[in-house]
């Protein structure tokens, strides 16, 4: 078992007030040292100082950690982005953060489990990425108002996504909130309840992806396993706090509960921007019997918010490198205040994508479902002094890992190497010659 959540293991003990986690991972194209995996850990505590203290012992400056948002006096959410290179295998762990905030379902110690399946999939010829969703750390609703929370879910591989409450050992105490029901389609429903059920509840969920057809999963050593439409591939935790507030004078949207107005994008809208530009999203909301005071968000790194008056907000997103080409879920709610009571709008989420300029998009490498072999590549930069005849590229100390077999797919391997060398700047008419069963020679044409 390879544990690669090293910094998360620094969080232990029983002092901080935990508000939950949402995790996802994405897999890039095959590189010489394995598949690049980008992990997105967003964790929430009762303050930003508690996050820093628990996560990185008070100093988070050396780590790729971004502030997402905070609701002062309640919660702070930050996201930790980790990039690793992994080989075809599965990775699982169960992790215990600090204790939850006080809650009605009597859950004290927190635990969540995750499972990454990085075996080569026969349907997409590479490891798959996890499903994705998002939610703010604290969702609240008056006790007398019906509320449906429809999680916006997506999957880069087109898998079937299902949600459920966590079970041991995915959680320590797994009592689900009595006031909230979850469906396999990742929708949560709350029905009006009496005042005796008011208060915060811990929500511990798991989201899984299932293939839409029977596929074969292959590990580095060549071992295979068949996965049907009933077999989950990866599983990720979704944990947050759901608070039942005192009854509102009215449950009609736009009175006490804020109502979204145009040009606010609809739930599920897909918005893209060039990866070198900043995206702006306008959000408007009204509550005629209350004052709209703030917008709370949970989204990718680089999201900020501003207000230009009551009910008028602007969300801006400046993509970071790890966002390129990925659908990222941005969620928000608007809060209103009246006579000391706080009212929240529906949760609204959109998909934002940073698209590379066509001229800078690297061509993808494709592979087939074969046992992995490792092939050394002998090369270097061409001689800078023009000489007659071909220039030989020699002595680059590199290892290329591929799921192709050198014995049966040497031509395909050399073609992939050639395309990568061309992408790195070598001439388009370079030729490759197989020197032996393990070495590939590269030549460039004479100037």
């Amino acid at each position: 078992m390879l544990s690669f959540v090293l910094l998360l293991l620094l969080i232990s003990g029983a002092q901080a007030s935990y508000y939950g986690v949402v995790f996802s991972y994405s897999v890039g194209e095959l590189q010489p040292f394995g598949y690049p995996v980008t992990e997105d850990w967003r964790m929430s505590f009762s303050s930003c100082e508690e996050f820093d203290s628990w996560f990185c012992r008070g100093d988070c400056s050396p780590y790729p950690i971004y502030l997402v948002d905070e609701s002062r006096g309640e919660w702070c959410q930050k996201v930790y982005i980790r990039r690793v290179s992994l080989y075809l295998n599965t990775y699982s762990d169960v992790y215990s953060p600090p204790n939850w905030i006080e809650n009605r379902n009597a859950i004290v110690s927190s635990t969540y489990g995750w499972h990454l399946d990085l075996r080569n999939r026969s349907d997409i010829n590479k490891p798959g990425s996890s499903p994705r969703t998002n939610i703010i750390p604290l969702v609240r609703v008056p006790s007398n108002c019906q509320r449906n929370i429809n999680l916006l879910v997506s999957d880069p591989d087109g898998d079937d996504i299902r949600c459920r409450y966590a079970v041991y050992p995915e959680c320590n105490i797994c009592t689900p909130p009595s006031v909230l029901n979850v469906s396999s389609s990742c929708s949560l429903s709350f029905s009006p309840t009496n005042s005796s059920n008011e208060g915060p509840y811990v929500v511990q969920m798991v989201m899984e992806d299932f293939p839409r057809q029977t596929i074969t999963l292959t590990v580095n050593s060549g071992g295979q396993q068949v996965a049907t439409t009933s077999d989950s591939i990866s599983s990720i935790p979704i944990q947050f706090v759901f608070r039942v507030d005192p009854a509102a004078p009215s449950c009609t949207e736009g009175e006490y509960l804020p109502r979204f107005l145009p040009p606010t994008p609809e739930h599920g809208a897909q918005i893209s921007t060039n990866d070198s530009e900043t995206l702006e999203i306008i959000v408007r909301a009204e509550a005629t019997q209350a004052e709209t005071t703030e917008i709370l968000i949970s989204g990718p790194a680089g999201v900020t918010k501003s207000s230009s008056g009551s009910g008028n907000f602007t969300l801006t997103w400046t993509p970071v490198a790890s966002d390129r080409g990925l659908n990222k879920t941005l969620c928000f709610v608007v809060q209103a205040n009246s006579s000391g009571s706080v009212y929240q709008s529906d949760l609204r989420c959109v998909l934002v994508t940073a698209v590379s300029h066509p001229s800078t998009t690297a061509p993808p490498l494709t592979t087939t479902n074969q046992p992995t072999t490792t092939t050394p590549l002998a090369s270097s930069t061409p001689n800078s002094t023009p000489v007659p005849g071909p220039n030989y590229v020699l002595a680059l100390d590199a290892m290329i890992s591929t799921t192709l077999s050198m014995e049966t797919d040497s031509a395909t391997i050399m073609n992939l190497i050639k395309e990568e060398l061309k992408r790195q700047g070598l001439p388009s008419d370079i030729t490759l010659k197989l020197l032996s069963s393990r070495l590939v020679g590269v030549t460039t044409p004479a100037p």
Side-chain angles (χ1 to χ4, degrees):
M1 165 60 202
L2 173 62
S3 179
F4 51 90
V5 197
L6 302 179
L7 294 179
L8 292 181
L9 298 179
L10 298 177
I11 309 176
S12 60
Q15 297 178 6
S17 296
Y18 177 61
Y19 269 80
V21 65
V22 178
F23 169 66
S24 65
Y25 69 91
S26 59
V27 181
E29 299 297 334
L30 180 64
Q31 301 297 319
F33 298 101
Y35 284 93
V37 179
T38 301
E39 307 162 11
D40 185 300
W41 299 89
R42 56 193 61 241
M43 299 188 70
S44 304
F45 294 82
S46 56
S47 71
C48 295
E49 292 75 20
E50 286 184 358
F51 179 100
D52 293 349
S53 174
W54 286 106
F55 197 92
C56 27
R57 297 180 178 175
D59 180 14
C60 291
S61 58
Y63 308 119
I65 294 175
Y66 304 83
L67 172 65
V68 178
D69 198 10
E70 62 178 316
S71 178
R72 294 192 179 277
E74 288 186 319
W75 54 263
C76 170
Q77 185 183 76
K78 291 189 177 184
V79 58
Y80 166 56
I81 298 176
R82 177 176 167 84
R83 299 177 184 87
V84 293
S85 293
L86 299 173
Y87 289 96
L88 303 177
N89 214 326
T90 60
Y91 305 87
S92 301
D93 207 352
V94 176
Y95 173 66
S96 297
N99 287 352
W100 281 98
I101 68 165
E102 293 185 4
N103 56 83
R104 293 296 308 272
N105 41 341
I107 298 176
V108 180
S109 60
S110 59
T111 297
Y112 64 80
W114 46 265
H115 177 73
L116 284 68
D117 196 322
L118 299 183
R119 293 175 291 184
N120 191 76
R121 294 175 49 151
S122 59
D123 56 341
I124 61 174
N125 294 323
K126 62 173 284 188
S129 300
S130 73
R132 300 188 183 105
T133 192
N134 206 358
I135 195 166
I136 63 172
L138 174 62
V139 177
R140 54 199 311 165
V141 60
S143 60
N144 59 327
C145 298
Q146 175 75 33
R147 175 64 58 85
N148 292 322
I149 305 169
N150 299 312
L151 296 182
L152 179 59
V153 298
S154 63
D155 188 276
D157 312 308
D159 292 328
D160 180 26
I161 305 172
R162 305 175 198 173
C163 290
R164 59 176 172 81
Y165 279 127
V167 296
Y168 186 84
E170 299 164 328
C171 44
N172 187 9
I173 301 174
C174 301
T175 308
S178 58
V179 296
L180 199 62
N181 294 317
V182 61
S183 71
S184 61
S185 60
C186 302
S187 176
L188 299 105
S189 59
F190 170 80
S191 297
T193 186
N194 57 50
S195 59
S196 63
N197 291 323
E198 292 172 359
Y201 293 81
V202 163
V203 181
Q204 301 172 112
M205 295 172 54
V206 169
M207 184 166 66
E208 300 170 303
D209 53 349
F210 295 76
R212 296 188 181 273
Q213 60 184 353
T214 298
I215 63 174
T216 301
L217 301 169
T218 305
V219 298
N220 249 34
S221 62
Q224 295 184 331
Q225 178 182 342
V226 173
T228 71
T229 56
S230 300
D231 298 317
S232 64
I233 301 177
S234 60
S235 61
I236 62 172
I238 307 168
Q239 297 186 349
F240 62 98
V241 176
F242 181 79
R243 176 175 293 164
V244 180
D245 286 330
S250 169
C251 293
T252 302
E253 284 192 346
E255 294 184 358
Y256 292 89
L257 306 180
R259 175 182 62 182
F260 290 114
L261 302 172
T264 308
E266 295 296 325
H267 183 76
Q270 299 188 34
I271 308 170
S272 62
T273 184
N274 191 292
D275 62 3
S276 61
E277 298 176 352
T278 296
L279 175 68
E280 284 194 357
I281 299 176
I282 304 300
V283 177
R284 291 192 59 209
E286 69 172 3
T288 59
Q289 305 302 312
E291 180 185 3
T292 54
T293 54
E294 63 179 331
I295 188 171
L296 301 174
I297 64 174
S298 180
V303 172
T304 60
K305 62 182 183 179
S306 62
S307 175
S308 57
S310 180
N312 293 279
F313 307 97
T314 300
L315 306 181
T316 60
W317 178 46
T318 304
V320 299
S322 61
D323 295 326
R324 183 174 299 166
L326 302 177
N327 287 328
K328 310 293 271 189
T329 310
L330 169 59
C331 298
F332 51 90
V333 300
V334 171
Q335 285 194 167
N337 288 55
S338 177
S339 302
S341 297
V342 177
Y343 304 103
Q344 228 176 54
S345 69
D346 278 332
L347 177 75
R348 185 163 291 193
C349 302
V350 299
L351 293 176
V352 294
T353 308
V355 181
S356 298
H357 190 278
S359 63
T360 62
T361 301
L365 297 178
T366 58
T367 60
T368 60
N369 185 25
Q370 299 291 338
T372 296
T373 61
T374 300
T375 306
L377 173 67
S379 68
S380 79
T381 57
N383 194 319
S384 59
T385 303
V387 296
N391 296 314
Y392 291 92
V393 183
L394 302 170
L396 172 64
D397 185 15
M399 300 291 289
I400 293 181
S401 178
T402 176
T403 54
L404 298 172
S405 168
M406 195 62 196
E407 288 71 26
T408 59
D409 301 293
S410 60
T412 302
I413 293 174
M414 288 191 293
N415 185 60
L416 292 175
I417 295 171
K418 178 178 178 179
E419 292 300 314
E420 176 62 16
L421 292 173
K422 286 161 57 178
R423 191 179 73 84
Q424 295 292 338
L426 291 182
S428 60
D429 53 348
I430 59 173
T431 59
L432 278 70
K433 180 181 179 182
L434 182 64
L435 301 181
S436 73
S437 62
R438 294 185 58 82
L439 298 178
V440 177
V442 183
T443 65
T444 62

